[in-house]
């Protein structure tokens, strides 16, 4: 494509973006298994609609299908933003049924869960193309440099879409959200506990600012 | 272990890269890519890996790569060219390659035989 054509296309995209303001944005909640994605999705949806979006468990890959909740209006500091929230299955590069057996599931149940989990990861990857922003949930007690985090951030940066990092589980003593901030300093990060609600109002402020 | 040069990678399409990586990893090889994969290629690789996982036979892959290089020239900025330059990446079978420690410039990994 010629330079003039590229510049023209970029002007057209910018023009389109300006006039798309006010449209309901589709935001995905992403992250590795057991980072607290569904706990956060439930908190957001419960705070603004009184409902929940999915079940949670200590066993990884509890969410094995994406769940979309349409038209959730988040209000913060007098401003409001309406989003479609998509809670996605945990992203992973490996799934071993024996890990589920170690958590106490039967072999049959573990094999079935592993199969469904692989389908869930594929679904989560495919949703990436249909989103206009992402809340990336990281477990603040774990090393932030995982391949899943690097891949999700890389995809959002390549497509120039807004990304907000939720450094979850700050209610745990061993959490270190500062490690996440220093690992990915180019993106806004809010330390939260989706479980206890710590700092959740700050997250809503950032959602309104970054996805509005 | 297969070490794949930047030149070879630049000649392959996404589908060819993913197939080459997964064929090698399924045979128990560690694949080292000099210039790595783009974020969308990493997504395609994760997708294809999930389709190949079979309980008791293939548990998936381990990928080690650094966050992409974000440097961008003024021409790139004007043309809004992709800013991410993939960096060296190591991929292996999940039961043979284990990440010990990783930061923005150093990866420590343990490779074991089957």
């Amino acid at each position: 494509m010629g330079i003039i054509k590229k510049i023209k296309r970029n002007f057209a995209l910018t023009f389109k973006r300006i006039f798309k303001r006010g449209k309901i944005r589709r935001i995905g909640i992403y992250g590795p298994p057991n980072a607290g994605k569904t706990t956060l999705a439930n908190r957001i949806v419960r705070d603004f609609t009184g409902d929940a979006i999915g079940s949670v468990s200590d066993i990884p890959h509890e969410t094995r299908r994406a769940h979309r909740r349409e038209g959730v209006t988040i209000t913060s500091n007098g401003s409001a933003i309406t989003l479609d929230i998509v809670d996605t299955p945990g992203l992973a590069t490996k799934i071993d049924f024996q890990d589920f057996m170690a958590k106490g599931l039967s072999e049959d149940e573990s094999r079935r869960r592993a199969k469904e989990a692989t389908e869930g990861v594929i679904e989560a990857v495919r949703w990436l193309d249909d989103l206009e922003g992402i809340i990336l949930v990281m477990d603040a007690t774990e090393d932030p440099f995982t391949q899943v985090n690097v891949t999700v951030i890389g995809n959002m940066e390549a497509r120039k879409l807004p990304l907000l990092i939720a450094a979850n589980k700050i209610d745990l003593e061993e959490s270190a959200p500062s490690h996440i901030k220093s690992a990915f300093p180019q993106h806004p990060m809010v330390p939260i506990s989706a479980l206890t609600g710590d700092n959740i109002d700050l997250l809503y402020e950032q959602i309104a600012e970054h996805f509005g | 272990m297969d070490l794949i040069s930047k030149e070879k990678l630049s000649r392959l399409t996404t589908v060819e890269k993913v197939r080459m990586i997964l064929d090698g990893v399924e045979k128990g090889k560690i694949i080292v890519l000099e210039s790595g994969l783009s974020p969308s290629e990493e997504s395609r690789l994760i997708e294809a890996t999930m389709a190949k996982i079979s309980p008791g036979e293939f548990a998936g892959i381990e990928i080690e790569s650094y966050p992409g290089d974000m440097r961008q020239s003024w021409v790139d900025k004007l043309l809004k060219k992709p800013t991410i330059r993939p960096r060296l990446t190591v991929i292996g079978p999940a039961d043979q390659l284990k990440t010990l420690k990783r930061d923005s410039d150093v990866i420590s990994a343990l490779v074991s035989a089957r």
Side-chain angles (χ1 to χ4, degrees):
Chain A
M1 190 187 292
I3 289 181
I4 305 285
K5 253 188 179 175
K6 274 198 172 180
I7 293 172
K8 265 185 173 174
R9 195 190 61 176
N10 289 335
F11 273 120
L13 275 174
T14 308
F15 189 76
K16 206 171 159 189
R17 270 186 201 137
I18 291 168
F19 287 95
K20 263 173 90 179
R21 274 171 190 269
K23 171 185 177 281
I24 296 175
R25 286 174 181 267
R26 204 177 292 133
I27 301 301
I29 299 183
Y30 274 77
N34 266 18
K37 297 176 295 301
T38 304
T39 306
L40 177 61
N42 281 343
R43 180 163 288 276
I44 296 172
V45 172
R46 198 173 286 133
D47 281 355
F48 295 101
T49 72
D51 207 351
I53 201 164
S55 61
V56 294
S57 153
D58 285 338
I59 303 173
H61 297 285
E62 175 69 12
T63 304
R64 299 187 292 282
R65 299 197 69 163
H67 299 285
R68 169 154 62 131
R69 178 56 55 95
E70 291 176 272
V72 179
T73 301
I74 294 174
T75 50
S76 174
N77 283 345
S79 61
I81 176 174
T82 302
L83 303 172
D84 286 352
I85 305 273
V86 184
D87 180 31
T88 65
L91 281 178
T93 60
K94 56 190 169 195
I95 294 170
D96 189 343
F97 78 101
Q98 290 177 340
D99 293 342
F100 301 127
M101 287 177 70
K103 291 274 183 187
L105 299 186
S106 69
E107 184 172 341
D108 282 352
E109 174 69 7
S110 298
R111 284 178 182 270
R112 190 176 59 81
R113 196 179 183 96
K115 176 88 183 100
E116 290 174 1
T118 60
E119 291 164 2
V121 174
I122 292 172
E123 197 175 323
V125 169
R126 290 183 179 165
W127 262 103
L128 275 172
D129 294 334
D130 289 315
L131 297 169
E132 288 143 299
I134 276 184
I135 300 171
L136 178 55
V137 183
M138 297 188 193
D139 183 337
T141 67
E142 302 274 342
D143 175 11
F145 274 114
T146 65
Q147 191 57 42
V148 165
N149 292 340
V150 170
T151 298
V152 171
I153 288 176
N155 268 281
M156 290 295 104
E157 286 172 347
R159 294 169 56 206
K160 300 192 188 315
L161 290 175
L163 169 89
L164 182 58
I165 298 173
N168 194 24
K169 305 195 184 182
I170 58 163
D171 53 301
L172 300 179
E173 208 175 302
E174 64 271 33
S175 69
S178 57
H179 290 176
I180 296 176
K181 187 67 203 166
S182 54
F184 305 107
Q186 71 275 33
H187 294 289
M189 185 274 288
V190 186
I192 62 155
S193 169
L195 188 66
T196 63
D198 288 354
N199 264 359
I200 206 74
D201 288 336
L202 184 59
L203 180 73
Y204 295 152
E205 261 177 46
Q206 292 288 314
I207 288 175
E209 189 182 327
H210 289 281
F211 302 131
Chain B
M1 183 184 285
D2 285 351
L3 292 92
I4 315 294
S5 72
K6 189 159 56 176
E7 288 69 29
K8 168 142 178 128
L9 283 169
S10 68
R11 291 196 298 271
L12 299 177
T13 64
T14 300
V15 174
E16 288 170 324
K17 285 179 199 174
V18 168
R19 179 166 285 278
M20 177 192 69
I21 292 164
L22 285 180
D23 284 352
V25 169
E26 275 190 301
K27 288 178 196 156
K29 284 184 181 175
I30 306 291
I31 312 286
V32 181
L33 308 177
E34 187 186 4
S35 60
L37 299 173
S38 69
S40 75
E41 287 170 339
E42 284 177 0
S43 304
R44 297 287 84 81
L45 177 62
I46 291 174
E47 213 178 322
T49 301
M50 290 299 124
K52 277 198 175 279
I53 286 179
S54 165
E57 288 171 27
F58 181 62
I61 59 173
E62 180 79 29
I63 313 179
E64 321 279 359
S65 73
Y66 313 105
D69 186 352
M70 289 285 289
R71 277 171 296 178
Q72 195 182 31
S73 70
W74 70 269
V75 179
D76 290 346
K77 279 181 190 161
L78 183 67
L79 299 178
K80 294 200 173 175
K81 276 177 81 175
T83 56
I84 320 282
R85 291 181 176 80
R87 299 163 72 193
L88 183 133
T89 300
V90 184
I91 303 159
D95 56 355
Q96 282 180 268
L97 183 64
K98 185 175 162 46
T99 311
L100 297 177
K101 189 176 175 296
R102 169 158 61 172
D103 62 31
S104 56
D105 292 302
V106 178
I107 295 168
S108 298
L110 180 71
V111 182
S112 57
R114 267 185 175 155

